[in-house]
Amino acid sequence: MKIAFLADPLSAFKIYKDSTYAMMTEAARRGHQVYAFEQQDIVLESGLVTANAFKVTLTGDAEDWYRLDDGKETYLSEFDAIIVRKDPPFDMEYIYTTYLLELAEKQGARVFNKPSAIRDFNEKLAIAQFPQYTAPTLVTRDARRLRGFHTEHQDVILKPLDGMGGAGIFRVGRDGMNLGSIIETLTDNGRRTIMIQKFIAQITDGDKRILLIGGRVVPFVLARIPQGTEVRGNLAAGGLGVAQPISAANLKMAEAMAPVLDARGLLLVGLDAIGDYLTEVNVTSPTCFQEIKQQSGFDVAEMFIAAVEAAVK
């Protein structure tokens, strides 16, 4: 097969931990041709969607790990599969990209995750579709309601709806220290909607990444454990990643959600859970493939590429 990855620049990959690199390596190992392109390479002209796509040769070298050909303008429908691995921010350029990919689908392209599904699933707000698994949550820009939520629950987390890697997350305890300033900053004085949740004490055991692939649950999770005085477990915020077998409660939740999300065109999903509570549904470019394999031996990339193969048959 010809598999194309829509990703950030390959030169920025940290291949010792990058999940897209693991996908590419597994695809090449299975005999598939690997291509890459970026958002800026996509073009709509005369009603047809193309991209200046580069064939990728993996060298096996830790430093110069890839070689690219000169690139070729290619109809996206010519690829057997297109894997969307563009990291947030989920801005208007990202949305425009999903529109173009959706047009390419109508022309025969097979895109994973489905562009409309990526666009429809805000990674923070999507938890509202599964309220049976969530902690008390409020989404609003109203300072009065945000303050009322804090009064009720005492210990809370506030976060923007478009953040990633733990950016912009604040904890406010019983004393309400800096609550007003945080609300003003995150809501831009009432102009931006944010999320506030009851603080989940089990964060000390880690913010667990649960991976769903093709409607099935990966049997290991990566618990991202906050370090020192940090409240965030995100690896980008200094969290320690510890692979572990999925708990019975998390497995029950994941098995209930997996077929629902797969049916909506989401081949790969990264659920975030603290304790038994669902906190995010990651659909843009879920990670943690390599950390899980390195610590548990379970090859997530192998499971993923096998799922892509099955999906395009």
Side-chain angles (χ1 to χ4, degrees):
M1 295 198 310
K2 294 170 64 176
I3 301 178
F5 291 82
L6 168 55
D8 290 308
L10 303 190
S11 59
F13 280 26
K14 297 177 180 178
I15 64 170
Y16 66 92
K17 68 174 184 177
D18 194 284
S19 295
T20 307
Y21 171 75
M23 295 174 184
M24 289 179 170
T25 301
E26 177 61 19
R29 187 188 72 81
R30 297 165 84 99
H32 303 307
Q33 298 177 56
V34 175
Y35 293 79
F37 62 96
E38 300 176 34
Q39 281 180 304
Q40 66 207 37
D41 295 315
I42 306 174
V43 175
L44 170 64
E45 187 173 12
S46 301
L48 297 174
V49 183
T50 66
N52 187 34
F54 298 82
K55 189 172 183 180
V56 181
T57 299
L58 302 177
T59 66
D61 185 275
E63 297 296 329
D64 299 319
W65 63 271
Y66 68 93
R67 292 197 305 271
L68 301 179
D69 67 7
D70 292 333
K72 177 184 176 184
E73 200 74 18
T74 306
Y75 295 112
L76 295 190
S77 57
E78 293 183 25
F79 295 109
D80 296 288
I82 297 169
I83 312 299
V84 180
R85 295 293 299 172
K86 175 70 185 73
D87 285 341
F90 194 84
D91 53 13
M92 284 307 300
E93 281 300 313
Y94 211 125
I95 290 174
Y96 296 148
T97 296
T98 66
Y99 289 143
L100 292 171
L101 292 175
E102 199 170 5
L103 283 170
E105 283 184 313
K106 290 179 170 58
Q107 296 160 15
R110 301 295 302 274
V111 186
F112 307 96
N113 285 327
K114 192 172 178 63
S116 60
I118 293 176
R119 191 171 62 243
D120 290 346
F121 270 76
N122 176 276
E123 298 187 327
K124 305 291 193 301
L125 283 175
I127 65 171
Q129 300 182 37
F130 307 95
Q132 66 271 39
Y133 303 122
T134 62
T137 300
L138 173 69
V139 176
T140 184
R141 65 173 73 177
D142 187 321
R144 179 187 60 82
R145 295 186 68 112
L146 292 164
R147 287 180 178 277
F149 188 93
H150 173 263
T151 298
E152 178 181 359
H153 296 287
Q154 298 291 297
D155 200 353
V156 300
I157 292 289
L158 299 97
K159 54 188 171 183
L161 296 178
D162 59 355
M164 65 168 290
I169 292 178
F170 294 89
R171 178 185 179 184
V172 178
R174 293 178 181 276
D175 60 8
M177 185 70 70
N178 291 325
L179 178 61
S181 178
I182 291 168
I183 290 174
E184 291 166 7
T185 299
L186 289 182
T187 68
D188 190 18
N189 291 302
R191 286 186 286 270
R192 184 180 300 122
T193 301
I194 67 169
M195 176 177 286
I196 185 170
Q197 294 177 307
K198 181 180 179 180
F199 175 72
I200 305 169
Q202 292 95 325
I203 185 62
T204 55
D205 298 323
D207 180 356
K208 292 170 286 184
R209 168 57 54 84
I210 304 165
L211 292 168
L212 312 180
I213 296 176
R216 297 169 54 209
V217 183
V218 172
F220 290 87
V221 305
L222 191 74
R224 296 159 298 174
I225 302 171
Q227 300 297 292
T229 59
E230 182 59 71
V231 72
R232 300 169 298 173
N234 308 74
L235 300 182
L240 174 66
V242 178
Q244 56 192 226
I246 190 169
S247 71
N250 286 166
L251 178 61
K252 183 178 179 180
M253 175 184 72
E255 286 182 335
M257 294 178 63
V260 174
L261 296 171
D262 184 54
R264 296 181 186 178
L266 296 166
L267 184 76
L268 172 62
V269 178
L271 305 180
D272 286 350
I274 300 174
D276 297 339
Y277 293 107
L278 176 70
T279 58
E280 288 191 24
V281 181
N282 295 273
V283 300
T284 50
S285 56
T287 60
C288 301
F289 281 38
Q290 294 214 57
E291 293 90 345
I292 289 174
K293 181 181 179 182
Q294 289 160 4
Q295 296 182 42
S296 74
F298 185 87
D299 196 330
V300 185
E302 182 178 39
M303 180 177 174
F304 176 74
I305 296 299
V308 173
E309 293 172 342
V312 299
K313 285 181 179 178

